[in-house]
């Protein structure tokens, strides 16, 4: 019977410590979940446009089209490695509109990158503070989303889009969405 006098206080202390840890780390706050975005309406984007940040851009400008939304940054080495593939996709005639979001990057650095390496995007936006990235649960760049013609998120791609991934997986998926 004496062991209950020990177990109950220890259990209560552990429960209180766990509750305190959740409250102080913010783990109890609702954060966007990339899995929950699949099938949901894509979060609205209204950002300063690149290269002219006095203008704005938004996904609503491409309503009715399949979109490949790519979060990238000029300082991201994997993004630089992915960039030639994005240029090939843009030039391929695939039924997809590429939209680039420069994530946590300065507009000047983003524009310089696109001028140096080419611009595959029909729309480009500057997410300087990362707020749009948070709405899309971006954890690191590059990350991409495929959005269907009705504006629903259909797929998330974490990391670099390679030529093989595009040919074997993403292009057939985009073609199927375009045919819907």
């Amino acid at each position: 019977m004496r062991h209950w006098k020990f177990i109950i206080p220890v259990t209560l202390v552990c429960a209180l410590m766990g509750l305190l840890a959740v409250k102080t780390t913010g783990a109890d706050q609702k954060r966007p979940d990339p899995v929950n975005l699949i099938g949901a309406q894509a979060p609205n984007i209204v950002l300063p446009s690149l290269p002219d940040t006095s203008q704005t851009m938004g996904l609503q400008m491409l309503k009715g089209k399949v979109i490949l939304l790519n979060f990238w940054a000029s300082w991201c080495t994997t993004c630089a490695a992915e960039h030639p593939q994005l240029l090939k996709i843009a030039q391929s005639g695939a039924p997809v509109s590429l939209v680039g979001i420069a994530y946590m990057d300065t507009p000047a650095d983003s524009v310089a990158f696109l001028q140096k390496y080419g611009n595959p995007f029909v729309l480009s936006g500057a997410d300087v503070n990362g707020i749009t990235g948070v709405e899309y649960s971006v954890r690191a760049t590059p990350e991409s989303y495929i959005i269907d013609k009705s504006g629903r998120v259909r797929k998330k791609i974490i990391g670099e889009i390679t030529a093989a991934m595009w040919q074997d997986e993403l292009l057939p998926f985009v073609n199927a969405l375009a045919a819907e």
Side-chain angles (χ1 to χ4, degrees), residues 57-80:
M57 58 77 66
L59 291 182
Q60 74 278 4
M61 299 169 95
L62 296 172
K63 189 174 181 173
K65 297 185 181 213
V66 177
I67 298 169
L68 174 62
L69 177 64
N70 180 257
F71 287 86
W72 66 279
S74 65
W75 44 261
C76 167
T77 57
T78 308
C79 300

mmCIF file with all atom_site columns, all heavy atoms in Angstrom, residues 57-80:
data_model
loop_
_atom_site.group_PDB
_atom_site.id
_atom_site.type_symbol
_atom_site.label_atom_id
_atom_site.label_alt_id
_atom_site.label_comp_id
_atom_site.label_asym_id
_atom_site.label_entity_id
_atom_site.label_seq_id
_atom_site.pdbx_PDB_ins_code
_atom_site.Cartn_x
_atom_site.Cartn_y
_atom_site.Cartn_z
_atom_site.occupancy
_atom_site.B_iso_or_equiv
_atom_site.pdbx_formal_charge
_atom_site.auth_seq_id
_atom_site.auth_comp_id
_atom_site.auth_asym_id
_atom_site.auth_atom_id
_atom_site.pdbx_PDB_model_num
ATOM 1   N N   . MET A 1 57 ? 1.518   39.907 -56.717 1.00 0.00 ? 57 MET A N   1
ATOM 2   C CA  . MET A 1 57 ? 1.158   38.712 -57.481 1.00 0.00 ? 57 MET A CA  1
ATOM 3   C C   . MET A 1 57 ? 0.333   37.812 -56.574 1.00 0.00 ? 57 MET A C   1
ATOM 4   O O   . MET A 1 57 ? 0.405   37.914 -55.353 1.00 0.00 ? 57 MET A O   1
ATOM 5   C CB  . MET A 1 57 ? 2.410   37.971 -57.984 1.00 0.00 ? 57 MET A CB  1
ATOM 6   C CG  . MET A 1 57 ? 3.404   37.507 -56.903 1.00 0.00 ? 57 MET A CG  1
ATOM 7   S SD  . MET A 1 57 ? 2.996   36.034 -55.939 1.00 0.00 ? 57 MET A SD  1
ATOM 8   C CE  . MET A 1 57 ? 3.050   34.754 -57.137 1.00 0.00 ? 57 MET A CE  1
ATOM 9   N N   . GLY A 1 58 ? -0.446  36.943 -57.186 1.00 0.00 ? 58 GLY A N   1
ATOM 10  C CA  . GLY A 1 58 ? -1.247  35.997 -56.416 1.00 0.00 ? 58 GLY A CA  1
ATOM 11  C C   . GLY A 1 58 ? -1.653  34.815 -57.272 1.00 0.00 ? 58 GLY A C   1
ATOM 12  O O   . GLY A 1 58 ? -1.697  34.906 -58.500 1.00 0.00 ? 58 GLY A O   1
ATOM 13  N N   . LEU A 1 59 ? -1.939  33.699 -56.614 1.00 0.00 ? 59 LEU A N   1
ATOM 14  C CA  . LEU A 1 59 ? -2.331  32.492 -57.347 1.00 0.00 ? 59 LEU A CA  1
ATOM 15  C C   . LEU A 1 59 ? -3.638  32.683 -58.107 1.00 0.00 ? 59 LEU A C   1
ATOM 16  O O   . LEU A 1 59 ? -3.857  32.022 -59.125 1.00 0.00 ? 59 LEU A O   1
ATOM 17  C CB  . LEU A 1 59 ? -2.462  31.303 -56.385 1.00 0.00 ? 59 LEU A CB  1
ATOM 18  C CG  . LEU A 1 59 ? -1.177  30.779 -55.774 1.00 0.00 ? 59 LEU A CG  1
ATOM 19  C CD1 . LEU A 1 59 ? -1.469  29.586 -54.883 1.00 0.00 ? 59 LEU A CD1 1
ATOM 20  C CD2 . LEU A 1 59 ? -0.167  30.398 -56.851 1.00 0.00 ? 59 LEU A CD2 1
ATOM 21  N N   . GLN A 1 60 ? -4.503  33.579 -57.630 1.00 0.00 ? 60 GLN A N   1
ATOM 22  C CA  . GLN A 1 60 ? -5.773  33.806 -58.315 1.00 0.00 ? 60 GLN A CA  1
ATOM 23  C C   . GLN A 1 60 ? -5.562  34.274 -59.747 1.00 0.00 ? 60 GLN A C   1
ATOM 24  O O   . GLN A 1 60 ? -6.451  34.139 -60.574 1.00 0.00 ? 60 GLN A O   1
ATOM 25  C CB  . GLN A 1 60 ? -6.664  34.777 -57.520 1.00 0.00 ? 60 GLN A CB  1
ATOM 26  C CG  . GLN A 1 60 ? -6.244  36.225 -57.574 1.00 0.00 ? 60 GLN A CG  1
ATOM 27  C CD  . GLN A 1 60 ? -5.125  36.614 -56.606 1.00 0.00 ? 60 GLN A CD  1
ATOM 28  O OE1 . GLN A 1 60 ? -4.578  35.765 -55.904 1.00 0.00 ? 60 GLN A OE1 1
ATOM 29  N NE2 . GLN A 1 60 ? -4.774  37.884 -56.576 1.00 0.00 ? 60 GLN A NE2 1
ATOM 30  N N   . MET A 1 61 ? -4.388  34.774 -60.053 1.00 0.00 ? 61 MET A N   1
ATOM 31  C CA  . MET A 1 61 ? -4.070  35.218 -61.410 1.00 0.00 ? 61 MET A CA  1
ATOM 32  C C   . MET A 1 61 ? -3.995  34.038 -62.383 1.00 0.00 ? 61 MET A C   1
ATOM 33  O O   . MET A 1 61 ? -4.065  34.231 -63.595 1.00 0.00 ? 61 MET A O   1
ATOM 34  C CB  . MET A 1 61 ? -2.749  35.995 -61.421 1.00 0.00 ? 61 MET A CB  1
ATOM 35  C CG  . MET A 1 61 ? -2.787  37.246 -60.553 1.00 0.00 ? 61 MET A CG  1
ATOM 36  S SD  . MET A 1 61 ? -1.157  37.972 -60.315 1.00 0.00 ? 61 MET A SD  1
ATOM 37  C CE  . MET A 1 61 ? -1.188  39.194 -61.636 1.00 0.00 ? 61 MET A CE  1
ATOM 38  N N   . LEU A 1 62 ? -3.855  32.824 -61.837 1.00 0.00 ? 62 LEU A N   1
ATOM 39  C CA  . LEU A 1 62 ? -3.731  31.627 -62.676 1.00 0.00 ? 62 LEU A CA  1
ATOM 40  C C   . LEU A 1 62 ? -4.897  30.672 -62.461 1.00 0.00 ? 62 LEU A C   1
ATOM 41  O O   . LEU A 1 62 ? -4.773  29.465 -62.678 1.00 0.00 ? 62 LEU A O   1
ATOM 42  C CB  . LEU A 1 62 ? -2.408  30.915 -62.382 1.00 0.00 ? 62 LEU A CB  1
ATOM 43  C CG  . LEU A 1 62 ? -1.156  31.717 -62.722 1.00 0.00 ? 62 LEU A CG  1
ATOM 44  C CD1 . LEU A 1 62 ? 0.094   31.008 -62.212 1.00 0.00 ? 62 LEU A CD1 1
ATOM 45  C CD2 . LEU A 1 62 ? -1.055  31.951 -64.225 1.00 0.00 ? 62 LEU A CD2 1
ATOM 46  N N   . LYS A 1 63 ? -6.025  31.214 -62.039 1.00 0.00 ? 63 LYS A N   1
ATOM 47  C CA  . LYS A 1 63 ? -7.205  30.388 -61.780 1.00 0.00 ? 63 LYS A CA  1
ATOM 48  C C   . LYS A 1 63 ? -7.551  29.557 -63.015 1.00 0.00 ? 63 LYS A C   1
ATOM 49  O O   . LYS A 1 63 ? -7.511  30.044 -64.137 1.00 0.00 ? 63 LYS A O   1
ATOM 50  C CB  . LYS A 1 63 ? -8.385  31.278 -61.394 1.00 0.00 ? 63 LYS A CB  1
ATOM 51  C CG  . LYS A 1 63 ? -9.565  30.507 -60.900 1.00 0.00 ? 63 LYS A CG  1
ATOM 52  C CD  . LYS A 1 63 ? -10.650 31.416 -60.400 1.00 0.00 ? 63 LYS A CD  1
ATOM 53  C CE  . LYS A 1 63 ? -11.795 30.563 -59.895 1.00 0.00 ? 63 LYS A CE  1
ATOM 54  N NZ  . LYS A 1 63 ? -12.811 31.346 -59.248 1.00 0.00 ? 63 LYS A NZ  1
ATOM 55  N N   . GLY A 1 64 ? -7.823  28.286 -62.793 1.00 0.00 ? 64 GLY A N   1
ATOM 56  C CA  . GLY A 1 64 ? -8.175  27.394 -63.891 1.00 0.00 ? 64 GLY A CA  1
ATOM 57  C C   . GLY A 1 64 ? -6.988  26.691 -64.517 1.00 0.00 ? 64 GLY A C   1
ATOM 58  O O   . GLY A 1 64 ? -7.147  25.956 -65.483 1.00 0.00 ? 64 GLY A O   1
ATOM 59  N N   . LYS A 1 65 ? -5.783  26.907 -63.976 1.00 0.00 ? 65 LYS A N   1
ATOM 60  C CA  . LYS A 1 65 ? -4.575  26.264 -64.503 1.00 0.00 ? 65 LYS A CA  1
ATOM 61  C C   . LYS A 1 65 ? -3.948  25.381 -63.433 1.00 0.00 ? 65 LYS A C   1
ATOM 62  O O   . LYS A 1 65 ? -4.094  25.629 -62.240 1.00 0.00 ? 65 LYS A O   1
ATOM 63  C CB  . LYS A 1 65 ? -3.563  27.316 -64.953 1.00 0.00 ? 65 LYS A CB  1
ATOM 64  C CG  . LYS A 1 65 ? -4.077  28.173 -66.087 1.00 0.00 ? 65 LYS A CG  1
ATOM 65  C CD  . LYS A 1 65 ? -3.030  29.117 -66.594 1.00 0.00 ? 65 LYS A CD  1
ATOM 66  C CE  . LYS A 1 65 ? -3.648  29.937 -67.705 1.00 0.00 ? 65 LYS A CE  1
ATOM 67  N NZ  . LYS A 1 65 ? -2.734  30.293 -68.718 1.00 0.00 ? 65 LYS A NZ  1
ATOM 68  N N   . VAL A 1 66 ? -3.247  24.363 -63.876 1.00 0.00 ? 66 VAL A N   1
ATOM 69  C CA  . VAL A 1 66 ? -2.457  23.540 -62.962 1.00 0.00 ? 66 VAL A CA  1
ATOM 70  C C   . VAL A 1 66 ? -1.193  24.340 -62.631 1.00 0.00 ? 66 VAL A C   1
ATOM 71  O O   . VAL A 1 66 ? -0.553  24.902 -63.525 1.00 0.00 ? 66 VAL A O   1
ATOM 72  C CB  . VAL A 1 66 ? -2.100  22.178 -63.580 1.00 0.00 ? 66 VAL A CB  1
ATOM 73  C CG1 . VAL A 1 66 ? -1.219  21.359 -62.641 1.00 0.00 ? 66 VAL A CG1 1
ATOM 74  C CG2 . VAL A 1 66 ? -3.369  21.406 -63.940 1.00 0.00 ? 66 VAL A CG2 1
ATOM 75  N N   . ILE A 1 67 ? -0.838  24.376 -61.352 1.00 0.00 ? 67 ILE A N   1
ATOM 76  C CA  . ILE A 1 67 ? 0.282   25.201 -60.887 1.00 0.00 ? 67 ILE A CA  1
ATOM 77  C C   . ILE A 1 67 ? 1.313   24.338 -60.178 1.00 0.00 ? 67 ILE A C   1
ATOM 78  O O   . ILE A 1 67 ? 0.963   23.477 -59.372 1.00 0.00 ? 67 ILE A O   1
ATOM 79  C CB  . ILE A 1 67 ? -0.226  26.290 -59.919 1.00 0.00 ? 67 ILE A CB  1
ATOM 80  C CG1 . ILE A 1 67 ? -1.201  27.225 -60.632 1.00 0.00 ? 67 ILE A CG1 1
ATOM 81  C CG2 . ILE A 1 67 ? 0.931   27.061 -59.293 1.00 0.00 ? 67 ILE A CG2 1
ATOM 82  C CD1 . ILE A 1 67 ? -1.945  28.160 -59.695 1.00 0.00 ? 67 ILE A CD1 1
ATOM 83  N N   . LEU A 1 68 ? 2.571   24.590 -60.490 1.00 0.00 ? 68 LEU A N   1
ATOM 84  C CA  . LEU A 1 68 ? 3.685   24.057 -59.712 1.00 0.00 ? 68 LEU A CA  1
ATOM 85  C C   . LEU A 1 68 ? 4.229   25.240 -58.922 1.00 0.00 ? 68 LEU A C   1
ATOM 86  O O   . LEU A 1 68 ? 4.839   26.151 -59.474 1.00 0.00 ? 68 LEU A O   1
ATOM 87  C CB  . LEU A 1 68 ? 4.771   23.466 -60.613 1.00 0.00 ? 68 LEU A CB  1
ATOM 88  C CG  . LEU A 1 68 ? 6.049   23.006 -59.920 1.00 0.00 ? 68 LEU A CG  1
ATOM 89  C CD1 . LEU A 1 68 ? 5.766   21.882 -58.934 1.00 0.00 ? 68 LEU A CD1 1
ATOM 90  C CD2 . LEU A 1 68 ? 7.071   22.552 -60.939 1.00 0.00 ? 68 LEU A CD2 1
ATOM 91  N N   . LEU A 1 69 ? 3.942   25.251 -57.620 1.00 0.00 ? 69 LEU A N   1
ATOM 92  C CA  . LEU A 1 69 ? 4.353   26.339 -56.727 1.00 0.00 ? 69 LEU A CA  1
ATOM 93  C C   . LEU A 1 69 ? 5.659   25.925 -56.066 1.00 0.00 ? 69 LEU A C   1
ATOM 94  O O   . LEU A 1 69 ? 5.708   24.938 -55.342 1.00 0.00 ? 69 LEU A O   1
ATOM 95  C CB  . LEU A 1 69 ? 3.264   26.573 -55.678 1.00 0.00 ? 69 LEU A CB  1
ATOM 96  C CG  . LEU A 1 69 ? 3.537   27.625 -54.615 1.00 0.00 ? 69 LEU A CG  1
ATOM 97  C CD1 . LEU A 1 69 ? 3.663   29.007 -55.236 1.00 0.00 ? 69 LEU A CD1 1
ATOM 98  C CD2 . LEU A 1 69 ? 2.416   27.605 -53.578 1.00 0.00 ? 69 LEU A CD2 1
ATOM 99  N N   . ASN A 1 70 ? 6.719   26.695 -56.333 1.00 0.00 ? 70 ASN A N   1
ATOM 100 C CA  . ASN A 1 70 ? 8.064   26.341 -55.873 1.00 0.00 ? 70 ASN A CA  1
ATOM 101 C C   . ASN A 1 70 ? 8.586   27.402 -54.909 1.00 0.00 ? 70 ASN A C   1
ATOM 102 O O   . ASN A 1 70 ? 8.687   28.570 -55.256 1.00 0.00 ? 70 ASN A O   1
ATOM 103 C CB  . ASN A 1 70 ? 8.995   26.219 -57.092 1.00 0.00 ? 70 ASN A CB  1
ATOM 104 C CG  . ASN A 1 70 ? 10.405  25.868 -56.717 1.00 0.00 ? 70 ASN A CG  1
ATOM 105 O OD1 . ASN A 1 70 ? 11.285  26.730 -56.717 1.00 0.00 ? 70 ASN A OD1 1
ATOM 106 N ND2 . ASN A 1 70 ? 10.644  24.607 -56.417 1.00 0.00 ? 70 ASN A ND2 1
ATOM 107 N N   . PHE A 1 71 ? 8.881   26.962 -53.668 1.00 0.00 ? 71 PHE A N   1
ATOM 108 C CA  . PHE A 1 71 ? 9.533   27.838 -52.682 1.00 0.00 ? 71 PHE A CA  1
ATOM 109 C C   . PHE A 1 71 ? 11.033  27.637 -52.822 1.00 0.00 ? 71 PHE A C   1
ATOM 110 O O   . PHE A 1 71 ? 11.519  26.502 -52.730 1.00 0.00 ? 71 PHE A O   1
ATOM 111 C CB  . PHE A 1 71 ? 9.073   27.477 -51.264 1.00 0.00 ? 71 PHE A CB  1
ATOM 112 C CG  . PHE A 1 71 ? 7.668   27.906 -50.970 1.00 0.00 ? 71 PHE A CG  1
ATOM 113 C CD1 . PHE A 1 71 ? 6.593   27.099 -51.304 1.00 0.00 ? 71 PHE A CD1 1
ATOM 114 C CD2 . PHE A 1 71 ? 7.421   29.124 -50.365 1.00 0.00 ? 71 PHE A CD2 1
ATOM 115 C CE1 . PHE A 1 71 ? 5.296   27.496 -51.037 1.00 0.00 ? 71 PHE A CE1 1
ATOM 116 C CE2 . PHE A 1 71 ? 6.119   29.538 -50.091 1.00 0.00 ? 71 PHE A CE2 1
ATOM 117 C CZ  . PHE A 1 71 ? 5.049   28.711 -50.427 1.00 0.00 ? 71 PHE A CZ  1
ATOM 118 N N   . TRP A 1 72 ? 11.760  28.723 -53.045 1.00 0.00 ? 72 TRP A N   1
ATOM 119 C CA  . TRP A 1 72 ? 13.196  28.661 -53.311 1.00 0.00 ? 72 TRP A CA  1
ATOM 120 C C   . TRP A 1 72 ? 13.865  29.867 -52.684 1.00 0.00 ? 72 TRP A C   1
ATOM 121 O O   . TRP A 1 72 ? 13.212  30.776 -52.180 1.00 0.00 ? 72 TRP A O   1
ATOM 122 C CB  . TRP A 1 72 ? 13.439  28.633 -54.833 1.00 0.00 ? 72 TRP A CB  1
ATOM 123 C CG  . TRP A 1 72 ? 13.029  29.909 -55.512 1.00 0.00 ? 72 TRP A CG  1
ATOM 124 C CD1 . TRP A 1 72 ? 11.774  30.285 -55.881 1.00 0.00 ? 72 TRP A CD1 1
ATOM 125 C CD2 . TRP A 1 72 ? 13.885  31.001 -55.852 1.00 0.00 ? 72 TRP A CD2 1
ATOM 126 N NE1 . TRP A 1 72 ? 11.795  31.538 -56.437 1.00 0.00 ? 72 TRP A NE1 1
ATOM 127 C CE2 . TRP A 1 72 ? 13.085  32.006 -56.439 1.00 0.00 ? 72 TRP A CE2 1
ATOM 128 C CE3 . TRP A 1 72 ? 15.251  31.228 -55.734 1.00 0.00 ? 72 TRP A CE3 1
ATOM 129 C CZ2 . TRP A 1 72 ? 13.601  33.206 -56.896 1.00 0.00 ? 72 TRP A CZ2 1
ATOM 130 C CZ3 . TRP A 1 72 ? 15.768  32.435 -56.193 1.00 0.00 ? 72 TRP A CZ3 1
ATOM 131 C CH2 . TRP A 1 72 ? 14.938  33.404 -56.771 1.00 0.00 ? 72 TRP A CH2 1
ATOM 132 N N   . ALA A 1 73 ? 15.190  29.891 -52.737 1.00 0.00 ? 73 ALA A N   1
ATOM 133 C CA  . ALA A 1 73 ? 15.952  31.046 -52.245 1.00 0.00 ? 73 ALA A CA  1
ATOM 134 C C   . ALA A 1 73 ? 17.286  31.115 -52.981 1.00 0.00 ? 73 ALA A C   1
ATOM 135 O O   . ALA A 1 73 ? 17.847  30.090 -53.367 1.00 0.00 ? 73 ALA A O   1
ATOM 136 C CB  . ALA A 1 73 ? 16.191  30.931 -50.740 1.00 0.00 ? 73 ALA A CB  1
ATOM 137 N N   . SER A 1 74 ? 17.782  32.329 -53.143 1.00 0.00 ? 74 SER A N   1
ATOM 138 C CA  . SER A 1 74 ? 19.053  32.509 -53.852 1.00 0.00 ? 74 SER A CA  1
ATOM 139 C C   . SER A 1 74 ? 20.225  31.926 -53.068 1.00 0.00 ? 74 SER A C   1
ATOM 140 O O   . SER A 1 74 ? 21.227  31.535 -53.653 1.00 0.00 ? 74 SER A O   1
ATOM 141 C CB  . SER A 1 74 ? 19.298  34.004 -54.110 1.00 0.00 ? 74 SER A CB  1
ATOM 142 O OG  . SER A 1 74 ? 19.478  34.704 -52.892 1.00 0.00 ? 74 SER A OG  1
ATOM 143 N N   . TRP A 1 75 ? 20.100  31.841 -51.756 1.00 0.00 ? 75 TRP A N   1
ATOM 144 C CA  . TRP A 1 75 ? 21.174  31.326 -50.896 1.00 0.00 ? 75 TRP A CA  1
ATOM 145 C C   . TRP A 1 75 ? 21.128  29.803 -50.751 1.00 0.00 ? 75 TRP A C   1
ATOM 146 O O   . TRP A 1 75 ? 21.995  29.209 -50.119 1.00 0.00 ? 75 TRP A O   1
ATOM 147 C CB  . TRP A 1 75 ? 21.099  31.968 -49.508 1.00 0.00 ? 75 TRP A CB  1
ATOM 148 C CG  . TRP A 1 75 ? 19.710  32.039 -48.933 1.00 0.00 ? 75 TRP A CG  1
ATOM 149 C CD1 . TRP A 1 75 ? 18.887  33.122 -48.947 1.00 0.00 ? 75 TRP A CD1 1
ATOM 150 C CD2 . TRP A 1 75 ? 18.987  30.996 -48.283 1.00 0.00 ? 75 TRP A CD2 1
ATOM 151 N NE1 . TRP A 1 75 ? 17.683  32.818 -48.332 1.00 0.00 ? 75 TRP A NE1 1
ATOM 152 C CE2 . TRP A 1 75 ? 17.722  31.517 -47.923 1.00 0.00 ? 75 TRP A CE2 1
ATOM 153 C CE3 . TRP A 1 75 ? 19.271  29.670 -47.971 1.00 0.00 ? 75 TRP A CE3 1
ATOM 154 C CZ2 . TRP A 1 75 ? 16.752  30.760 -47.269 1.00 0.00 ? 75 TRP A CZ2 1
ATOM 155 C CZ3 . TRP A 1 75 ? 18.311  28.915 -47.315 1.00 0.00 ? 75 TRP A CZ3 1
ATOM 156 C CH2 . TRP A 1 75 ? 17.067  29.471 -46.970 1.00 0.00 ? 75 TRP A CH2 1
ATOM 157 N N   . CYS A 1 76 ? 20.142  29.162 -51.342 1.00 0.00 ? 76 CYS A N   1
ATOM 158 C CA  . CYS A 1 76 ? 19.908  27.714 -51.192 1.00 0.00 ? 76 CYS A CA  1
ATOM 159 C C   . CYS A 1 76 ? 20.653  26.948 -52.287 1.00 0.00 ? 76 CYS A C   1
ATOM 160 O O   . CYS A 1 76 ? 20.320  27.069 -53.466 1.00 0.00 ? 76 CYS A O   1
ATOM 161 C CB  . CYS A 1 76 ? 18.410  27.455 -51.257 1.00 0.00 ? 76 CYS A CB  1
ATOM 162 S SG  . CYS A 1 76 ? 17.926  25.742 -51.464 1.00 0.00 ? 76 CYS A SG  1
ATOM 163 N N   . THR A 1 77 ? 21.651  26.154 -51.897 1.00 0.00 ? 77 THR A N   1
ATOM 164 C CA  . THR A 1 77 ? 22.440  25.412 -52.894 1.00 0.00 ? 77 THR A CA  1
ATOM 165 C C   . THR A 1 77 ? 21.610  24.350 -53.603 1.00 0.00 ? 77 THR A C   1
ATOM 166 O O   . THR A 1 77 ? 21.801  24.107 -54.796 1.00 0.00 ? 77 THR A O   1
ATOM 167 C CB  . THR A 1 77 ? 23.681  24.778 -52.247 1.00 0.00 ? 77 THR A CB  1
ATOM 168 O OG1 . THR A 1 77 ? 23.280  23.939 -51.174 1.00 0.00 ? 77 THR A OG1 1
ATOM 169 C CG2 . THR A 1 77 ? 24.643  25.832 -51.744 1.00 0.00 ? 77 THR A CG2 1
ATOM 170 N N   . THR A 1 78 ? 20.675  23.721 -52.900 1.00 0.00 ? 78 THR A N   1
ATOM 171 C CA  . THR A 1 78 ? 19.819  22.717 -53.546 1.00 0.00 ? 78 THR A CA  1
ATOM 172 C C   . THR A 1 78 ? 18.884  23.381 -54.546 1.00 0.00 ? 78 THR A C   1
ATOM 173 O O   . THR A 1 78 ? 18.582  22.806 -55.592 1.00 0.00 ? 78 THR A O   1
ATOM 174 C CB  . THR A 1 78 ? 19.031  21.920 -52.486 1.00 0.00 ? 78 THR A CB  1
ATOM 175 O OG1 . THR A 1 78 ? 19.942  21.420 -51.509 1.00 0.00 ? 78 THR A OG1 1
ATOM 176 C CG2 . THR A 1 78 ? 18.288  20.758 -53.105 1.00 0.00 ? 78 THR A CG2 1
ATOM 177 N N   . CYS A 1 79 ? 18.446  24.597 -54.238 1.00 0.00 ? 79 CYS A N   1
ATOM 178 C CA  . CYS A 1 79 ? 17.602  25.346 -55.178 1.00 0.00 ? 79 CYS A CA  1
ATOM 179 C C   . CYS A 1 79 ? 18.376  25.655 -56.460 1.00 0.00 ? 79 CYS A C   1
ATOM 180 O O   . CYS A 1 79 ? 17.832  25.560 -57.567 1.00 0.00 ? 79 CYS A O   1
ATOM 181 C CB  . CYS A 1 79 ? 17.112  26.643 -54.549 1.00 0.00 ? 79 CYS A CB  1
ATOM 182 S SG  . CYS A 1 79 ? 16.126  26.431 -53.075 1.00 0.00 ? 79 CYS A SG  1
ATOM 183 N N   . ALA A 1 80 ? 19.638  26.016 -56.309 1.00 0.00 ? 80 ALA A N   1
ATOM 184 C CA  . ALA A 1 80 ? 20.481  26.282 -57.482 1.00 0.00 ? 80 ALA A CA  1
ATOM 185 C C   . ALA A 1 80 ? 20.653  25.016 -58.311 1.00 0.00 ? 80 ALA A C   1
ATOM 186 O O   . ALA A 1 80 ? 20.648  25.073 -59.546 1.00 0.00 ? 80 ALA A O   1
ATOM 187 C CB  . ALA A 1 80 ? 21.835  26.837 -57.042 1.00 0.00 ? 80 ALA A CB  1
#
